[in-house]
Amino acid sequence: MKRFFQCLSAAALAAVLAACSAPRDFTIYQETIGEFQTATDRTASVALDYVKGINTFERGFELKLLREDPERPLIISKLSEPILSPQAISARDRVFGVLKQYTQMLASLAASDASERWKAASERAKASADTLLTDLNANSGLLGDLPIADVTSPLKTISDTIATEIINARRAAALDAAIGKAAPAIQDISATLRDDLAFVVRQRDSVKQLEIAELTIRYAQAQETNNNAARLNTLTKIDQALQARTQSLSTLQGLVQTLDQFDAAHDALVRYATSDKSPQELSDLISIVRSYADSADEVFESFRKVAEARS
Amino acid sequence: MPDVKANKALRDGLYKCFEEMVQKAMMPDIPIPQRQALLNRAQELRTQWVELEAARFNNAAAGISAAQTKILESVTDLRRATKDLEDAVKIVEKATRVFGLLDKLLKKAVKFAAPLI
């Protein structure tokens, strides 16, 4: 019997500990938002690095062409004037900051327990007003000439107004209006950033394509002159260039896909903020954000490796 | 910078031409001088395409700024909505205390008045 009670106590203790260690939905939500912000930071840092590198890359390519082709005319503006204006680059720089600010605000509003506190506080206020109202009516005879009706009527109005929870409705409308205003703007920004990244992808890939085409011509020249050593040397270079192209394309296209997932994660956050926040809705949000975070991690790692290889 | 306002289809079309030219420059059945000429033409097409893309990038800054303004307005609206609700909670909590206090005063007044009636 004693052993039975020991087992029972151990089971009860385990159950209590499990209940204590199980994170509340709010904690899970906060973690999810943290993942979303980290993923956006990483996507932004990689995307901005590539976008900011457009000018340097283009200038470097022009210098390479000038070195390789003695006949190439030197157009000084191609070296002295950046193709992208500093204002346009700063606009991209700022835009990620604004996106982050907006999602943080949306997230904190969705996580806020203010609406629950409002509900509890308004219920207490209504109960308190009703008690006062009942007591005033019950004792109206005792209070003689006091203008009880002047008090009870507004008190009844206050009680009824609280019961309708109009502020909750106002808050929901304000939230919907704010999201409604931001959503198209976020889509515009996302589309522009996608165009920017597509530019980066093609800018880098086009140079790789030219390099490979040039090597194939050199290979044909080596064949024509029966220079086997030059032919084999060129073949090795072709192989390396093809591998480098595949790796570079994979990183850059991964970045464009991460931007698609940012859109999906943002949509999920908006849906959650305006929903009843059921466990299913939270679960949907978590899985979409996690997929975005995983993708952002992969791109960030891949980018880090490319950057390390460059330096 | 080019004067023409190039849309996405035009930019994509130009890039496609560039890629076709590069593919031709790699064809082993074409004589080497012609392949070199195709490669040079591909380089020129790339230069034109970069100019069009750069023009789009620079022009898009105005659109981005407008979108940013909308989002910042939205952030302000969200902040206000949250503050409104927090204020409402505070007011209702104060009202509850006042109602409770009035009820206590009423009960004391009734107790005091009862023996006199």
Side-chain angles (χ1 to χ4, degrees), chain A residues 189-209:
Chain A
I189 285 176
S190 185
T192 306
L193 291 175
R194 196 171 284 103
D195 280 348
D196 293 349
L197 289 179
F199 178 21
V200 175
V201 175
R202 285 178 167 181
Q203 184 203 27
R204 310 293 161 98
D205 193 51
S206 57
V207 168
K208 288 240 162 23
Q209 287 188 55

Side-chain angles (χ1 to χ4, degrees), chain A residues 245-293:
Chain A
R245 185 186 175 208
T246 308
Q247 196 191 351
S248 166
L249 267 179
S250 157
T251 305
L252 288 164
Q253 282 169 349
L255 185 57
V256 177
Q257 280 161 11
T258 306
L259 208 56
D260 290 341
Q261 286 181 315
F262 163 80
D263 285 349
H266 171 256
D267 286 350
L269 189 61
V270 168
R271 270 199 305 278
Y272 184 74
T274 52
S275 74
D276 293 334
K277 303 174 186 66
S278 70
Q280 184 56 49
E281 279 154 341
L282 181 62
S283 163
D284 291 348
L285 174 70
I286 290 168
S287 76
I288 292 172
V289 169
R290 202 143 285 166
S291 157
Y292 167 50

Side-chain angles (χ1 to χ4, degrees), chain A residues 7-18:
Chain A
C7 288
L8 195 66
S9 307
L13 184 66
V16 168
L17 286 174

Side-chain angles (χ1 to χ4, degrees), chain A residues 77-152:
Chain A
S77 63
K78 284 191 172 182
L79 298 177
S80 63
E81 290 169 20
I83 56 167
L84 305 183
S85 72
Q87 293 85 349
I89 292 178
S90 314
R92 269 65 173 184
D93 226 347
R94 284 194 307 271
V95 86
F96 270 109
V98 173
L99 280 184
K100 203 177 154 190
Q101 213 181 339
Y102 168 75
T103 52
Q104 265 170 351
M105 196 63 226
L106 196 59
S108 66
L109 192 61
S112 168
D113 63 347
S115 62
E116 285 73 27
R117 281 190 284 118
W118 158 254
K119 209 174 163 212
S122 61
E123 275 167 8
R124 278 198 301 275
K126 180 174 164 45
S128 190
D130 286 348
T131 306
L132 181 58
L133 199 59
T134 310
D135 289 348
L136 278 170
N137 283 327
N139 297 299
S140 58
L142 282 174
L143 296 171
D145 295 336
L146 284 174
I148 301 297
D150 290 354
V151 181
T152 53

Side-chain angles (χ1 to χ4, degrees), chain A residues 58 65 83 85 92 109 117-118 121 125 128 135 142 167 175 178 181-182 196 202-203 206-207 209 216, chain B residues 12 15 19 35 43 46 49 56-58 74 77-78 82 86 88 92 96 99-100 103 106-107 110 117:
Chain A
E58 213 47 41
L65 293 177
I83 56 167
S85 72
R92 269 65 173 184
L109 192 61
R117 281 190 284 118
W118 158 254
S128 190
D135 289 348
L142 282 174
I167 296 174
L175 177 62
K181 192 189 278 183
D196 293 349
R202 285 178 167 181
Q203 184 203 27
S206 57
V207 168
Q209 287 188 55
T216 64
Chain B
D12 287 349
Y15 192 80
E19 286 193 311
R35 284 172 68 181
Q43 262 179 23
R46 184 189 175 279
W49 170 80
R56 179 212 56 86
F57 187 98
N58 292 331
S74 178
D77 290 351
L78 286 173
T82 312
E86 293 287 352
V92 167
T96 308
F99 293 153
D103 198 45
L106 174 70
K107 280 173 182 157
V110 167
I117 296 168

Side-chain angles (χ1 to χ4, degrees), chain B:
Chain B
M1 289 293 147
D3 290 334
V4 287
K5 193 182 173 191
N7 61 21
K8 191 172 179 342
L10 182 61
R11 285 182 274 121
D12 287 349
L14 193 56
Y15 192 80
K16 209 175 161 202
C17 280
F18 156 80
E19 286 193 311
E20 282 170 8
M21 209 64 77
V22 171
Q23 286 301 315
K24 279 184 186 163
M26 288 195 283
M27 284 179 177
D29 53 336
I30 296 177
I32 291 175
Q34 282 178 32
R35 284 172 68 181
Q36 191 61 58
L38 285 164
L39 188 66
N40 292 344
R41 180 70 190 127
Q43 262 179 23
E44 285 167 17
L45 285 175
R46 184 189 175 279
T47 305
Q48 288 169 15
W49 170 80
V50 166
E51 283 179 353
L52 291 181
E53 282 290 350
R56 179 212 56 86
F57 187 98
N58 292 331
N59 290 337
I64 286 184
S65 295
Q68 257 180 266
T69 308
K70 284 258 176 233
I71 294 172
L72 284 172
E73 280 172 11
S74 178
V75 168
T76 310
D77 290 351
L78 286 173
R79 198 166 282 146
R80 194 174 298 135
T82 312
K83 195 182 171 301
D84 279 355
L85 192 62
E86 293 287 352
D87 289 349
V89 171
K90 280 180 198 159
I91 290 168
V92 167
E93 279 169 351
K94 274 182 190 163
T96 308
R97 277 201 294 278
V98 171
F99 293 153
L101 199 63
L102 281 174
D103 198 45
K104 269 185 193 168
L105 284 172
L106 174 70
K107 280 173 182 157
K108 280 197 175 172
V110 167
K111 239 186 220 176
F112 179 74
L116 302 175
I117 296 168

